[in-house]
Amino acid sequence: FYTPVFIDDLMSSLDYLMGKTGTWNIVGSERVSKEGFALEVARAFGFPTTNAKSSAYTHQEGKARRPVE
């Protein structure tokens, strides 16, 4: 799952953090799966949602370990 950030909120956060030190994590307020995000984007742009396909993380290649939900 991911927490997408609205670009205006990201820019406001970056403006606020300019000149500050430390480690910061800027996230959105809603939790969404990759599949859910793809479906929302498809709907927003009028694309058919039937093109979005889900797959288990175990079938994806990558070196970063991620929690399985």
Side-chain angles (χ1 to χ4, degrees), residues 7-65:
I7 191 67
D8 292 348
D9 294 340
L10 175 62
M11 297 309 295
S12 294
S13 297
L14 292 175
D15 186 47
Y16 171 79
L17 293 171
M18 291 296 290
K20 297 188 180 350
T21 59
T23 303
W24 301 90
N25 187 17
I26 301 170
V27 298
S29 61
E30 294 183 39
R31 187 173 179 243
V32 65
S33 67
K34 284 184 179 183
E35 179 185 15
F37 186 75
L39 292 172
E40 287 184 41
V41 170
R43 285 185 199 107
F45 287 96
F47 296 125
T49 57
T50 54
N51 292 338
K53 304 214 186 300
S54 65
S55 67
Y57 179 76
T58 54
H59 296 117
Q60 298 174 3
E61 294 183 26
K63 296 183 181 188
R65 291 177 41 157

